[in-house]
């Protein structure tokens, strides 16, 4: 029952439902990873089943690929698709310029590649992800496993000269073993608390040997769809400066996760 959803889940659901409306038949769509993106895949699957929406998904993770198949969305690789009409993904943080921190789920490399291969990127989020200044959420770096401790030391040394409040770095773990991405890489989480110059930080850390990519998405997002627990949805387009607000009513038929 939709009434059983928490306010955060309701916010994610209505944001995903609104974002799914941007997809039209014939589109090749990048499908993000994480809990919010999972709602999107479910909403798109419903449109495929009920409306006959003809689309192809390009997933950013194995988990998203399996979910897409489960709900009836045809999938292909980015190499097969080459370019995408649209990508839709979640974010761990976003600011007023629609710059993002992503990678809490560990798929930042695939997500960034897919987003930059898309004509347009739309981010879906609940209002708690909005911040004045990026950095409260740990910034993920994807590292190759070889010599990761040396890479970590180089990263921490580099942070001394950058405009951040914290400089602690921790290897992300999965139980007793390092967390591994779909590419078999490690994730180093940077606890920076505040990032004064995200563009500078992104450029500099990517120059460190062993760093594959970072979770800062700068000038990539075109629009953000923010959901609220009361059913309101706010769409902000960075290109034309427009802000559109709509509302979804919660009724039983809206609950796409009902048994």
């Amino acid at each position: 029952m939709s009434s059983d959803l928490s306010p955060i889940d309701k916010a994610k659901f209505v944001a995903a439902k609104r974002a799914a409306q941007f997809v039209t038949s014939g589109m090749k769509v990048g499908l993000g990873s994480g809990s919010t993106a999972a709602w999107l895949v479910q909403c798109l699957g419903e449109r495929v089943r009920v409306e006959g929406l003809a689309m192809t998904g390009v997933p950013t993770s194995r988990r998203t690929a399996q979910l897409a198949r489960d709900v009836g969305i045809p999938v292909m690789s980015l190499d097969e698709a080459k370019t995408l009409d649209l990508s839709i993904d979640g974010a761990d943080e976003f600011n007023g310029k629609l710059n993002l921190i992503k990678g809490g789920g560990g798929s930042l490399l695939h997500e960034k590649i897919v987003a930059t291969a898309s004509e347009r990127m739309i981010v879906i989020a609940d209002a708690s992800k909005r911040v004045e200044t990026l950095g409260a959420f740990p910034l993920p770096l994807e590292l190759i496993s070889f010599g990761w401790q040396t890479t970590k030391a180089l990263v921490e040394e580099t942070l001394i000269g950058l405009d951040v409040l914290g400089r602690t770095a921790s290897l992300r773990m999965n139980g007793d073993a390092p967390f591994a991405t779909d590419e078999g890489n490690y994730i180093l989480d940077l606890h920076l608390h505040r990032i004064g110059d995200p563009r500078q930080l992104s450029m500099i850390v990517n120059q460190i040997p062993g760093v594959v990519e970072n979770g800062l998405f700068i000038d990539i997002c075109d629009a953000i769809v923010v959901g609220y627990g009361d059913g309101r949805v706010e769409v902000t387009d960075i290109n034309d400066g427009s802000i559109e607000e709509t509302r979804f009513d919660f009724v039983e038929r809206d609950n796409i996760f009902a048994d």
Side-chain angles (χ1 to χ4, degrees):
M1 303 289 290
S2 58
S3 59
D4 294 332
L5 296 176
S6 69
I8 290 294
D9 280 338
K10 285 182 178 179
K12 291 178 178 181
F13 171 51
V14 295
K17 194 173 181 68
R18 176 65 183 90
Q21 295 174 350
F22 286 98
V23 179
T24 59
S25 281
M27 278 190 171
K28 295 178 289 185
V29 182
L31 303 175
S33 303
S35 61
T36 308
W39 289 92
L40 169 77
V41 174
Q42 293 278 3
C43 290
L44 287 172
E46 184 183 44
R47 290 195 60 199
V48 168
R49 295 190 303 273
V50 175
E51 302 174 21
L53 175 69
M55 59 159 290
T56 303
V58 177
T60 55
S61 68
R62 295 189 186 107
R63 180 175 295 182
T64 298
Q66 186 59 55
L67 178 59
R69 294 187 187 99
D70 289 345
V71 300
I73 299 174
V75 300
M76 66 169 56
S77 70
L78 182 58
D79 286 335
E80 292 172 312
K82 296 184 174 59
T83 60
L84 304 178
D85 300 289
L86 179 67
S87 63
I88 307 176
D89 204 347
D92 297 303
E93 281 187 350
F94 69 93
N95 65 12
K97 296 181 180 179
L98 303 197
N99 291 325
L100 323 168
I101 287 181
K102 289 179 50 56
S107 300
L108 66 98
L109 177 60
H110 286 188
E111 290 168 347
K112 190 173 282 192
I113 292 171
V114 166
T116 54
S118 305
E119 290 290 328
R120 194 166 186 238
M121 182 194 189
I122 294 174
V123 166
I124 49 180
D126 62 85
S128 69
K129 305 299 176 62
R130 190 196 311 267
V131 296
E132 289 295 322
T133 305
L134 297 175
F137 190 90
L139 175 66
L141 302 186
E142 186 157 340
L143 315 178
I144 66 168
S145 59
F146 175 80
W148 74 266
Q149 294 188 55
T150 299
T151 304
K152 176 177 179 289
L154 288 170
V155 168
E156 291 175 325
E157 182 180 347
T158 300
L159 291 175
I160 295 173
L162 298 177
D163 184 9
V164 295
L165 284 183
R167 296 179 176 85
T168 304
S170 59
L171 184 69
R172 189 178 299 182
M173 302 296 290
N174 182 15
D176 295 331
F179 173 89
T181 70
D182 281 358
E183 295 295 326
N185 296 321
Y186 289 171
I187 295 287
L188 191 68
D189 288 311
L190 307 186
H191 305 272
L192 307 177
H193 307 300
R194 183 186 65 82
I195 301 172
D197 190 337
R199 189 184 308 278
Q200 178 194 51
L201 176 62
S202 178
M203 293 175 61
I204 289 177
V205 296
N206 273 14
Q207 301 304 311
I208 298 173
V211 174
V212 180
E213 189 52 83
N214 71 82
L216 284 166
F217 282 52
I218 309 297
D219 298 334
I220 296 176
C221 175
D222 294 285
I224 191 150
V225 182
V226 180
Y228 297 85
D230 62 0
R232 286 181 299 123
V233 182
E234 186 180 87
V235 181
T236 301
D237 191 310
I238 196 69
N239 297 310
D240 61 18
S242 65
I243 300 176
E244 166 207 305
E245 186 171 302
T246 56
R247 181 185 293 270
F248 291 96
D249 292 325
F250 290 103
V251 294
E252 288 187 22
R253 62 181 173 80
D254 279 335
N255 184 12
I256 57 179
F257 293 105
D259 293 331

